[in-house]
Amino acid sequence: MPYRGIYAICDAANEYAEIIEHSNCYSGACWSLYHYAKAPLVLKARSTGNMIRYFMKTGTSNLELKPSVAAAGIESVIVNGDEVEITYAGLGGGGVGATRCRAFADGILRYKISESGGEKCARGTIAVPRRERVLIGIDDTDSKDVGATWTLTHNIAKKLDCNEAVYLSHSLVQLFPVPEKTQNCMSTVLEFGCVNDKAKSRLVDTFKKAIKKYTASTQTGLVVLSDFYAKGLYQYSNRCRTERISKEEAMQCARKNGVEVLLDGNGVIGALASLPWFGRPDESIIPGTEIEPLTIEKLKNSV
């Protein structure tokens, strides 16, 4: 039962990685989430639909596998140039998942697996492209008569999804309902994993052309940020969900945090606020919910 895809997003220093697994069997992925979250290298683990996301310290660890209690895990995450090698281990059915199910996922460069199944302890190592996170924030592409930003952006992202720039997530972000809103006052953030700067540039250029072609508004905001988790925008985003923010303040915040502004209509205010909410669609839709800083340490009850 191969996974749909397995992706490795790394920070600039290759000290941390987020391993994102797109499953074809949600119940099996839930089992993995429960057990893998206990592995020493995993700092935080969570599910977003049928994607399981493991925020990890790179390196190697020793897994103490125990049936039913800690039956499988990620043993190592090693960055080698433009590739990431991930080693899994598991007992019984968990060993099948750790080897064959992951080895035959889309986008795997190569693999090495042991025998698995029955009572065996199995190990598997896969190599995947090293990716960096590219976040695209958009707001105000509709009018009082036509359009919806969340559908337009998703449809464009699906068209642009490819191995070099994989489409990872889509979050709707509830903002403070200012009078200028079309209806619900929500912006959208798209998350991609790009293998290099060329892939990023092609993605961003094509996305901008598509937005300019299909937007129904003269006030569209479009911003781009290449960052591991957009921490510098947490405070700004939290404020945008509870109070009115000026365009001047938004532009100043964008410059301070290295955000590229591609379209600078009034929608840039909400587009910028959406960026930290990538991969958090369950929380981002709730009015007033604050985004919480990510703790860089092993978390208790991290699932």
Side-chain angles (χ1 to χ4, degrees), residues 22-42:
H22 196 177
S23 174
N24 271 316
C25 178
Y26 183 65
S27 61
C30 289
W31 184 92
S32 294
L33 175 61
Y34 173 73
H35 289 277
Y36 284 28
K38 303 172 185 178
L41 291 177
V42 176

Side-chain angles (χ1 to χ4, degrees), residues 42-99:
V42 176
L43 304 178
K44 188 172 184 178
R46 58 193 173 93
S47 65
T48 304
N50 59 357
M51 280 189 170
I52 310 298
R53 308 175 73 117
Y54 301 99
F55 178 67
M56 309 190 62
K57 186 82 174 68
T58 58
T60 303
S61 65
N62 294 318
L63 295 180
E64 296 183 10
L65 300 180
K66 298 178 182 179
S68 303
V69 178
I74 300 177
E75 199 167 64
S76 67
V77 176
I78 306 297
V79 182
N80 289 317
D82 58 0
E83 295 182 3
V84 179
E85 292 186 348
I86 310 166
T87 298
Y88 301 85
L91 303 172
V96 176
T99 54

Side-chain angles (χ1 to χ4, degrees), residues 52-204:
I52 310 298
R53 308 175 73 117
Y54 301 99
F55 178 67
M56 309 190 62
K57 186 82 174 68
T58 58
T60 303
S61 65
N62 294 318
L63 295 180
E64 296 183 10
L65 300 180
K66 298 178 182 179
S68 303
V69 178
I74 300 177
E75 199 167 64
S76 67
V77 176
I78 306 297
V79 182
N80 289 317
D82 58 0
E83 295 182 3
V84 179
E85 292 186 348
I86 310 166
T87 298
Y88 301 85
L91 303 172
V96 176
T99 54
R100 299 189 68 84
C101 291
R102 288 175 170 82
F104 296 109
D106 288 344
I108 301 300
L109 301 174
R110 60 183 178 278
Y111 63 86
K112 180 180 180 182
I113 59 177
S114 67
E115 291 186 4
S116 58
E119 296 184 346
K120 299 181 183 71
C121 176
R123 279 180 171 77
T125 298
I126 61 173
V128 298
R130 179 191 179 277
R131 300 177 185 272
E132 292 192 356
R133 200 178 331 266
V134 177
L135 305 174
I136 301 178
I138 315 97
D139 196 14
D140 203 343
T141 67
D142 52 2
S143 71
K144 296 289 184 181
D145 301 311
V146 297
T149 296
W150 70 277
T151 55
L152 174 61
T153 54
H154 174 70
N155 289 337
I156 295 173
K158 287 291 289 183
K159 287 290 186 181
L160 299 182
D161 181 31
C162 63
N163 186 56
E164 291 75 25
V166 65
Y167 175 31
L168 296 173
S169 74
H170 175 288
S171 295
L172 306 180
V173 182
Q174 180 64 62
L175 304 170
F176 182 73
V178 297
E180 296 86 349
K181 67 184 177 65
T182 304
Q183 189 59 256
N184 293 314
C185 203
M186 302 188 78
S187 58
T188 302
V189 58
L190 304 171
E191 176 193 14
F192 289 84
C194 293
V195 297
N196 53 39
D197 289 340
K198 182 179 179 180
K200 174 196 168 183
S201 180
R202 183 166 57 245
L203 166 71
V204 171

Side-chain angles (χ1 to χ4, degrees), residues 8-23:
I9 308 296
C10 298
D11 73 327
N14 292 328
E15 294 180 355
Y16 299 96
E18 189 170 24
I19 306 303
I20 302 175
E21 300 185 337
H22 196 177
S23 174

